[in-house]
Amino acid sequence: MWTVPAKDAQIPALGFGTFTLSPDDCHRMVKAALEIGYRHVDTAQVYDNEDAVGAAMGESPAPREDVWLTTKVWVDKFRDGDLQKSVDDSLKRLQTDYVDLLLLHWPNRDVPLEETLKALASVKRDGRARHIGLSNFTVSLMKQAFAATEEPLAVNQVEYHPYLNQDPVLDMVRAKGMALTAYSPVAQGKIMGDETLKRIGAKYGKNEAQVTLRWLIQQDGVVAIPRTKSKEHCKTNLEVFDFELTDDDMAEIKGLNRPDGRQISPQGLAPEWDT
């Protein structure tokens, strides 16, 4: 599996996402993903499945240092002191001394960004997180984050799939040497049955999800983290490194974006804080 550069990091281009997975499903599927060959797992404090991720990784023969592990700090832990304690709690649940990437899950207008980023940087400096970054930050908020910290930010994780244009965020992360991690990369299954994706996939013997994931990771600086409860889908999602989309394919898929393409709404935040 190839990797995507982000500052001084190399992130596996395809990861296994755990959003909405129950602890039992999460434990089962993370174990399966690692057995299949994934070396990138994404979770978050608010998912309530960090324990399951930690248990599955502990039971896997894959060495800890070979697995890129991401978690995210929830917005109610953005104060200096609260954030660091929440990371300690996450590490206990994850049964590890560090995470490879620690993200701010959503912007929080009630806590100064400078305070939160100072706390986030402290966690990196003491080794509890190898890299730090953002999630669901607009271009405007990304600029505010860059101004508020000198610590390199490696990633902005946002919803991204063929139905949602993210060109402004992509342009910004590329300009800053960051990566974009695409969550809900198959639009929560909405891409299945799409005639354009089916037609393109037929040329390569691939399904709509495989075409979509290939479209994402074939873009410069993009990582994708599909989530599934199916071991078979988990396996086929990884089978995207043996074909290449043409420039025409890439452009046609990009043209599928639409105004109502977003699947995930902001967590009670005002629209201007949305991505």
Side-chain angles (χ1 to χ4, degrees):
M1 183 188 298
W2 68 48
T3 60
V4 174
K7 295 298 185 181
D8 60 344
Q10 292 289 332
I11 306 174
L14 205 62
F16 184 77
T18 62
F19 175 57
T20 75
L21 288 182
S22 69
D24 287 346
D25 282 336
C26 182
H27 180 261
R28 174 177 60 86
M29 288 306 306
V30 170
K31 280 188 68 176
L34 293 172
E35 290 169 3
I36 290 164
Y38 287 80
R39 290 298 180 265
H40 176 176
V41 178
D42 181 277
T43 185
Q45 293 172 352
V46 79
Y47 296 172
D48 289 328
N49 58 24
E50 287 179 319
D51 281 308
V53 170
M57 288 181 59
E59 294 165 17
S60 169
R64 169 67 188 91
E65 60 270 19
D66 289 352
V67 180
W68 180 277
L69 177 60
T70 298
T71 196
K72 310 175 199 77
V73 179
W74 191 238
V75 296
D76 63 351
K77 304 298 183 185
F78 275 15
R79 290 287 182 186
D80 190 18
D82 291 343
L83 186 146
Q84 293 92 327
K85 183 180 184 305
S86 81
V87 173
D88 286 338
D89 293 341
S90 285
L91 294 178
K92 289 176 184 176
R93 290 189 290 267
L94 291 164
Q95 301 179 32
T96 185
D97 295 329
Y98 69 94
V99 292
D100 296 274
L101 180 62
L102 183 68
L103 304 178
L104 303 179
H105 204 148
W106 284 87
N108 182 352
R109 66 170 68 251
D110 295 326
V111 183
L113 190 53
E114 292 81 1
E115 178 180 346
T116 304
L117 286 168
K118 179 182 177 183
L120 190 69
S122 76
V123 172
K124 179 185 176 185
R125 285 195 299 270
D126 66 24
R128 286 177 281 178
R130 298 280 176 87
H131 307 277
I132 57 175
L134 314 167
S135 183
N136 298 299
F137 271 56
T138 62
V139 169
S140 173
L141 286 169
M142 289 173 70
K143 291 177 179 177
Q144 292 180 41
F146 300 144
T149 182
E150 295 182 355
E151 201 67 42
L153 300 172
V155 164
N156 190 10
Q157 182 178 128
V158 298
E159 180 182 344
Y160 186 33
H161 46 72
Y163 299 150
L164 182 62
N165 185 296
Q166 287 285 19
D167 282 351
V169 174
L170 271 170
D171 290 344
M172 177 60 72
V173 298
R174 287 168 178 161
K176 293 294 185 178
M178 302 167 67
L180 183 154
T181 299
Y183 71 74
S184 295
V186 296
Q188 300 193 324
K190 301 291 195 309
I191 54 93
M192 300 307 292
D194 185 288
E195 291 301 326
T196 297
L197 297 172
K198 286 176 69 174
R199 174 171 45 77
I200 292 172
K203 297 191 297 182
Y204 306 101
K206 299 294 181 178
N207 65 30
E208 301 95 311
Q210 291 168 316
V211 168
T212 297
L213 293 172
R214 178 70 201 197
W215 175 76
L216 286 165
I217 65 171
Q218 198 167 306
Q219 297 175 56
D220 180 39
V222 176
V223 174
I225 48 170
R227 182 225 36 126
T228 179
K229 295 181 183 179
S230 162
K231 290 184 179 180
E232 180 58 31
H233 290 166
C234 186
K235 181 176 183 294
T236 57
N237 284 347
L238 199 60
E239 296 170 353
V240 295
F241 298 97
D242 58 351
F243 74 109
E244 184 173 353
L245 297 169
T246 67
D247 290 345
D248 287 345
D249 293 334
M250 294 291 288
E252 191 171 7
I253 296 168
K254 181 180 175 65
L256 295 174
N257 73 85
R258 57 201 194 200
D260 63 346
R262 185 176 298 282
Q263 306 298 312
I264 304 294
S265 64
Q267 303 291 321
L269 301 169
E272 63 267 24
W273 289 75
D274 197 3
T275 303

